[in-house]
Amino acid sequence: AAGSGKTAVLVERIIRKISGNTDVDRLLVATFTKAAAAEMKERIRLALERALLEQPQSEHLRRQLAMMNRAAITTLHSFCLDVIRRYYPMIGLDPGFRVANETEAELLRLDVLDALFEERYAAAETEPGFLRLADDYGGERGDEPLYHLVQELYDFSRSDPWPDHWLERAASGFET
């Protein structure tokens, strides 16, 4: 829970590692938000400064403090993006790739949903179940309520460790 001391415990464990023989730039500390990553980095920096005050002769601690800018204390997304940028040739990715912003991602998502609905309507003669679904869950003037339902189910499924299996199980509950 918020305020339970998770960050303090993690910082203490990191400082213990660094105070040993581990260099700070050899650790990966991944958080979910930029704010949490910035807070973690600041807390580690402050803890290193306190440790250096207690052991002013320690070259190791002085070096760790100097290497803080190179430390991988970041968000999980930023770390993954860094790995992709660094190793794009190995995965056959165009070096000019970029991450879509939220608006672009939403437009792409709607394009995919439009194509899926068109495909299902085209196959309605051989698979009439979709028409029943559209009649039951769609609106009187369009498919917007059904679009919304499909998007909510998809988003909810992403919270499961195996979203495709979750969707299959959920769908199997409606089979007659």
Side-chain angles (χ1 to χ4, degrees), residues 117-136:
F117 271 57
E118 284 180 29
E119 180 184 307
R120 291 289 154 199
Y121 275 120
E125 270 188 39
T126 58
E127 299 175 31
F130 181 75
L131 288 179
R132 184 170 157 217
L133 178 73
D135 286 343
D136 290 348

Side-chain angles (χ1 to χ4, degrees), residues 29-80:
V29 180
T31 66
F32 289 104
T33 67
K34 290 179 183 176
E39 179 185 356
M40 181 71 67
K41 200 169 211 171
E42 183 61 20
R43 285 192 186 193
I44 293 169
R45 182 184 314 283
L46 291 172
L48 279 171
E49 287 173 356
R50 281 192 304 272
L52 194 55
L53 286 175
E54 293 172 11
Q55 303 171 46
Q57 75 287 356
S58 174
E59 285 302 316
H60 177 72
L61 289 175
R62 195 176 313 282
R63 191 171 63 252
Q64 301 315 302
L65 200 52
M67 290 191 297
M68 277 300 293
N69 288 334
R70 293 190 338 202
I73 303 168
T74 184
T75 65
L76 196 53
H77 286 95
S78 293
F79 170 72
C80 291

Side-chain angles (χ1 to χ4, degrees), residues 77-107:
H77 286 95
S78 293
F79 170 72
C80 291
L81 186 58
D82 184 51
V83 169
I84 291 169
R85 283 196 171 122
R86 189 174 297 166
Y87 299 105
Y88 71 87
M90 298 172 112
I91 58 176
L93 192 63
D94 180 340
F97 84 94
R98 67 181 186 82
V99 176
N101 65 38
E102 286 185 41
T103 302
E104 292 169 321
E106 184 60 25
L107 289 172

Side-chain angles (χ1 to χ4, degrees), residues 145-160:
L146 185 55
Y147 268 52
H148 184 71
L149 178 61
V150 169
Q151 289 181 73
E152 280 187 4
L153 286 169
Y154 176 81
D155 290 341
F156 185 80
S157 74
R158 300 296 107 182
S159 66
D160 190 272

